[in-house]
Amino acid sequence: MEEKKRYNLGVLIGGVHTYFPKEHIKGISEAASELDVNVCFFLGTRTKDFFEDVLGSKQKNSYDYQFNTIHDYSLIGGLDGLIINYGTLGIQLREVDPNEFARKYNGITTVFLTEVVDVPNCHSLICDNKGGIAMVISHLVEEHHLSRILFMAGPEHNTDAIERKEAYLETMKKYGLPVTHGMIAQGDYSEFVDKQVEYLLDSNPDAQAIVFANDEMAFAGYRVCEKRGLVVGKDIMITGFDDCERASGMEPPLTTIQQDGELMGKMAVYDLVNRLDGKDPGKEAVSRRVPVSFVKRESCGCVSEDVSKKETPMGLGAQVHRLNKTIAGMKLELISFQRKSWFIPVLARDLNDCMDDEQAFLKEIMEKMRELHTRCTHLFLLDEPIVYDGKRKWTCPYNLHLAASYENGKIITKAAYERPLVMKENGICDLMENEERHQFMVFLLFSGEKQYGLLACDIDQEDFPFFYVISLQIGLSLHYLEISKAEAARRLEMSRDIEEIKEKNRVLGIISEYDELTGLLNLRGFMEHTKRVCQAGNGQRAYMIYGDLDHLKEINDTWGHPAGNFALRSVAEILKGCLRSNDILGRVGGDEYIIMLECEEADFGEKFRERVKMACKLFNEKSGKPFLVEISLGIAEFRPNISTDIQQVISLADQQLYEAKKHRKKSVSRANNEGA
């Protein structure tokens, strides 16, 4: 009898830094283990709100939009079934219609969580949002006789949030309680909605209660009320939705609606596997609701004695035990993360040492995955990095290749020409398949606007935060590897150019007129070319420009003479890029360069100074060197003719250079100029 194939299930889930998605992941993981199926989590998250809360300022360059793209990689995942937690994705996605989103994945049997869709081959699981909010409002009105009840809504296009807001409006109407526009604020399900809470309280000084669409936002309510001197549970009542880990440990404990995220995750896996097995879904073919319970605690004004009567689904003793367990787990997780955090700079250092050898670079990543005790790891790279700015329409790439693997204690890296291509018929899971059951966490590898590929690690859920940071570091190192490749190509091109110049000099017999290091004219060559221009001069305006590489001695003393030579050659290239083909450029001393050009513009000198300054800035942004290449310029205007004293004009330019050098930076060390 043929052995049954182990299914490969994919999970699209975002907001994995928050409580409820974590519960879904936990339930999915447990069910996948019970049913012996592989599961591949395509993970998204958000950092913008977190950093703005920590740093207290708007983040100009948030690249969270990159996480929206990881979902489409599941299309080449080699998946048998898919679980989509659209409630967490919809916060970030541009698609406001979940049916439109579902149709993208219509070729795969799918279970939608926290959303109802009407698309073939899809089944939905969603909690009883309206029933939960109705229980909260009814309790506040009937038990506490409140009437000024405010509402913090969730994301605008999120179905859970929409239903909870509708339930608030319907229940308030049922009790004949008016609701004005200023009684509702729009949140995003994150804990960082302090400004929205401030708005509600400023608009409603007589507020008696705030009902939050989830617990995470309720925590912001606690924080704002404490700043204002309002005692939660006495001066103002607060309720949440979810009953997350921190809810019972708040001061006072948070009254909330309990929905079982683990149960929903388990139900999703069992429903999906049943469908893959061809079992009849029956009456629940379209969608079903997951029941919720009202958890009464002190934040709504109830006294602690009420809690001990076990009117909540969980007794007081069980709540205390759960809270202690949560606190202990968080402490252990923090200690573990602190210890592991030392691993990040080591990883960065070791990868930096491999920038001249891509195979060694990939092997080093896999070595680190072995040291971190991943069960197995696979690294997928794009042929060329994809630039995505988050504005144009995203299209899933079809040039992803398996580049390196660590499994069964062995490390395998592949050269670019032998890497297998990921396709629908030969998907990500197919390339990772072996006899063992796996749970892969898939991370997008990117740096800024550039995507480089995916990292798939078979790890436990609690290891996700640390490996998320690891993936960010690998993405950054891939960016440096790309820069290193480009720099090597430029060096090769520069070397070829210099060799070509040398060869032409030998053929033409004019080696004595050229500088060997830079390929520019030397002093003799410069004077000969300038004399010819002056002898043919007709009184046209011209400029003599004396240039000097800033702080060559510092570069040589700190980073060595090869670095100094690199800087000297770079100055030559920068100046050549700012000149026309018929302008005369030479290196006339150790760090001195001289230019003679004809131009009728009266203010050309300052324009040229700015042009060189900008060229240096662009060069330094891309050089990857620990030092800056800066050029000071002295500029003298003259009108060349047969009687021109070239040495005198050069002397005038040199005097101007002396004045310009007074304003140069005190150091060209990049570290000394950070933030300048």
Side-chain angles (χ1 to χ4, degrees):
M1 182 170 138
E2 186 177 348
E3 187 177 347
K4 179 182 174 182
K5 175 185 180 293
R6 180 183 286 119
Y7 292 129
N8 293 318
L9 307 185
V11 182
L12 309 189
I13 187 166
V16 292
H17 60 294
T18 57
Y19 169 76
F20 204 54
K22 289 180 185 176
E23 294 295 289
H24 283 160
I25 292 174
K26 191 182 299 182
I28 291 169
S29 298
E30 291 179 5
S33 177
E34 293 167 3
L35 295 176
D36 189 31
V37 296
N38 294 324
V39 62
C40 203
F41 292 95
F42 293 84
L43 301 165
T45 189
R46 285 184 300 160
T47 61
K48 184 174 182 290
D49 293 330
F50 170 76
F51 282 115
E52 286 184 2
D53 180 71
V54 171
L55 301 178
S57 61
K58 291 287 183 182
Q59 294 301 293
K60 297 180 181 179
N61 298 316
S62 172
Y63 298 99
D64 285 352
Y65 65 80
Q66 294 283 18
F67 294 112
N68 297 345
T69 68
I70 194 172
H71 317 135
D72 283 359
Y73 283 96
S74 66
L75 294 170
I76 52 174
L79 303 173
D80 300 301
L82 190 62
I83 297 170
I84 301 178
N85 190 327
Y86 188 81
T88 61
L89 305 183
I91 296 172
Q92 301 168 328
L93 293 177
R94 290 182 176 177
E95 290 92 342
V96 296
D97 180 9
N99 289 301
E100 179 184 342
F101 185 82
R103 279 190 283 272
K104 290 169 59 177
Y105 308 93
N106 206 22
I108 308 173
T109 302
T110 304
V111 173
F112 254 59
L113 300 185
T114 67
E115 183 59 73
V116 177
V117 293
D118 184 17
V119 174
N121 213 24
C122 283
H123 169 68
S124 298
L125 284 175
I126 190 168
C127 79
D128 184 9
N129 293 298
K130 289 193 172 184
I133 292 295
M135 282 190 278
V136 167
I137 303 294
S138 297
H139 176 77
L140 293 174
V141 174
E142 295 180 6
E143 297 295 325
H144 298 286
H145 311 293
L146 306 184
S147 58
R148 292 292 293 168
I149 303 171
L150 314 181
F151 188 70
M152 176 66 72
E156 185 178 2
H157 301 298
N158 178 277
T159 294
D160 280 337
I162 292 171
E163 291 187 349
R164 293 171 194 180
K165 181 179 178 181
E166 289 175 350
Y168 164 75
L169 294 171
E170 291 168 2
T171 311
M172 292 289 281
K173 183 178 180 181
K174 168 187 169 184
Y175 286 104
L177 300 176
V179 176
T180 63
H181 177 74
M183 293 173 65
I184 301 176
Q186 193 79 51
D188 62 1
Y189 275 167
S190 80
E191 188 181 339
F192 312 110
V193 293
D194 301 54
K195 291 181 181 178
Q196 292 93 319
V197 179
E198 295 277 6
Y199 163 78
L200 283 177
L201 293 176
D202 289 341
S203 303
N204 302 274
D206 58 344
Q208 296 172 307
I210 307 178
V211 173
F212 288 84
N214 78 338
D215 290 350
E216 297 275 343
M217 294 192 296
F219 300 149
Y222 273 71
R223 192 162 53 238
V224 172
C225 287
E226 182 180 2
K227 289 179 181 177
R228 292 184 171 226
L230 296 174
V231 179
V232 175
K234 293 182 180 180
D235 301 325
I236 191 165
M237 313 307 165
I238 286 181
T239 68
F241 200 115
D242 286 340
D243 194 26
C244 72
E245 294 169 322
R246 293 166 57 189
S248 62
M250 297 300 291
E251 183 55 46
L254 177 65
T255 295
T256 187
I257 295 297
Q258 184 183 77
Q259 60 168 323
D260 194 333
E262 284 190 52
L263 175 62
M264 184 178 285
K266 284 187 174 182
M267 289 171 62
V269 175
Y270 274 88
D271 283 359
L272 186 54
V273 171
N274 283 337
R275 286 169 174 266
L276 293 174
D277 285 342
K279 295 180 181 178
D280 183 9
K283 297 180 180 179
E284 297 176 338
V286 178
S287 65
R288 56 176 172 155
R289 295 275 171 174
V290 180
V292 298
S293 303
F294 180 52
V295 182
K296 182 171 61 175
R297 300 193 181 105
E298 296 173 51
S299 70
C300 67
C302 290
V303 296
S304 58
E305 286 76 15
D306 291 338
V307 181
S308 64
K309 293 179 182 178
K310 298 185 179 180
E311 293 179 358
T312 68
M314 189 180 293
L316 180 61
Q319 291 182 36
V320 172
H321 175 71
R322 171 177 147 178
L323 179 60
N324 288 335
K325 184 178 179 181
T326 299
I327 292 172
M330 292 173 69
K331 286 182 178 179
L332 289 174
E333 185 177 334
L334 177 60
I335 292 171
S336 175
F337 192 90
Q338 287 174 332
R339 289 173 177 172
K340 287 180 178 178
S341 65
W342 289 99
F343 190 86
I344 307 297
V346 174
L347 172 65
R349 179 200 65 196
D350 292 348
L351 291 180
N352 189 57
D353 289 342
C354 303
M355 289 298 161
D356 58 345
D357 186 343
E358 185 176 33
Q359 289 297 97
F361 179 91
L362 296 175
K363 184 178 180 181
E364 188 60 41
I365 293 175
M366 293 299 108
E367 287 284 3
K368 290 297 185 284
M369 295 301 107
R370 173 157 54 189
E371 291 174 18
L372 290 170
H373 305 294
T374 64
R375 288 180 284 274
C376 62
T377 299
H378 301 275
L379 179 67
F380 299 86
L381 292 179
L382 296 162
D383 281 340
E384 295 292 336
I386 292 177
V387 177
Y388 179 54
D389 60 7
K391 298 175 183 177
R392 57 188 173 82
K393 184 178 179 181
W394 165 256
T395 303
C396 183
Y398 289 94
N399 62 340
L400 188 69
H401 297 261
L402 178 59
S405 298
Y406 163 64
E407 57 183 342
N408 300 323
K410 296 181 180 179
I411 292 173
I412 299 174
T413 63
K414 297 180 181 294
Y417 62 86
E418 61 180 2
R419 296 170 185 170
L421 177 66
V422 180
M423 302 176 292
K424 287 184 178 180
E425 302 77 17
N426 191 35
I428 293 171
C429 290
D430 298 318
L431 292 175
M432 299 189 298
E433 195 173 58
N434 59 30
E435 296 180 359
E436 302 295 326
R437 192 190 77 82
H438 294 293
Q439 171 179 288
F440 284 105
M441 300 282 182
V442 182
F443 302 90
L444 184 68
L445 299 177
F446 71 96
S447 179
E449 293 186 351
K450 288 191 175 182
Q451 291 188 19
Y452 295 92
L454 302 175
L455 181 71
C457 304
D458 188 345
I459 55 176
D460 296 325
Q461 177 187 352
E462 55 267 24
D463 291 326
F464 159 74
F466 177 67
F467 277 84
Y468 164 68
V469 179
I470 288 285
S471 71
L472 292 179
Q473 179 58 59
I474 292 175
L476 183 60
S477 294
L478 283 166
H479 178 61
Y480 290 149
L481 179 65
E482 179 192 9
I483 292 174
S484 179
K485 287 181 179 179
E487 185 179 324
R490 286 195 299 269
R491 284 199 303 267
L492 179 61
E493 184 178 354
M494 185 185 298
S495 175
R496 288 172 177 170
D497 288 346
I498 292 174
E499 287 302 317
E500 183 179 350
I501 290 173
K502 288 181 178 179
E503 179 61 26
K504 287 180 179 179
N505 286 342
R506 283 192 293 268
V507 172
L508 297 173
I510 56 171
I511 296 176
S512 61
E513 291 189 359
Y514 286 86
D515 170 56
E516 185 176 359
L517 178 65
T518 63
L520 302 180
L521 292 169
N522 56 24
L523 179 58
R524 175 183 172 183
F526 179 83
M527 294 299 289
E528 289 296 324
H529 282 67
T530 304
K531 283 179 182 178
R532 287 196 287 269
V533 172
C534 290
Q535 288 171 357
N538 55 6
Q540 182 180 357
R541 180 183 281 112
Y543 292 86
M544 189 72 72
I545 303 171
Y546 214 111
D548 180 79
L549 168 63
D550 291 345
H551 298 293
L552 174 61
K553 185 176 187 302
E554 180 189 3
I555 295 174
N556 284 332
D557 292 348
T558 306
W559 296 283
H561 286 276
N565 289 341
F566 171 83
L568 291 169
R569 288 193 296 267
S570 299
V571 169
E573 293 301 314
I574 289 170
L575 293 177
K576 282 197 292 184
C578 296
L579 296 173
R580 301 164 300 186
S581 60
N582 59 332
D583 296 330
I584 305 171
L585 168 64
R587 178 181 175 223
V588 296
D591 56 358
E592 296 173 347
Y593 300 78
I594 194 164
I595 301 165
M596 187 266 181
L597 57 85
E598 293 181 305
C599 179
E600 279 299 326
E601 291 184 50
D603 58 346
F604 175 80
E606 289 307 310
K607 290 182 179 180
F608 184 82
R609 197 186 302 276
E610 285 299 315
R611 186 187 302 171
V612 172
K613 182 178 179 181
M614 182 58 66
C616 289
K617 179 181 178 183
L618 294 175
F619 174 86
N620 290 323
E621 287 175 353
K622 298 178 180 180
S623 72
K625 296 296 182 181
F627 55 84
L628 304 175
V629 173
E630 303 270 353
I631 307 170
S632 297
L633 298 175
I635 303 175
E637 181 182 324
F638 72 108
R639 293 185 180 275
N641 56 62
I642 195 168
S643 61
T644 297
D645 186 338
I646 298 174
Q647 287 290 359
Q648 184 180 10
V649 177
I650 291 175
S651 179
L652 289 172
D654 190 26
Q655 291 174 23
Q656 295 297 317
L657 173 62
Y658 179 82
E659 292 299 321
K661 288 172 69 172
K662 294 179 181 180
H663 304 289
R664 65 180 179 174
K665 291 182 173 69
K666 294 182 179 180
S667 169
V668 291
S669 168
R670 194 179 291 274
N672 292 339
N673 285 280
E674 289 181 354

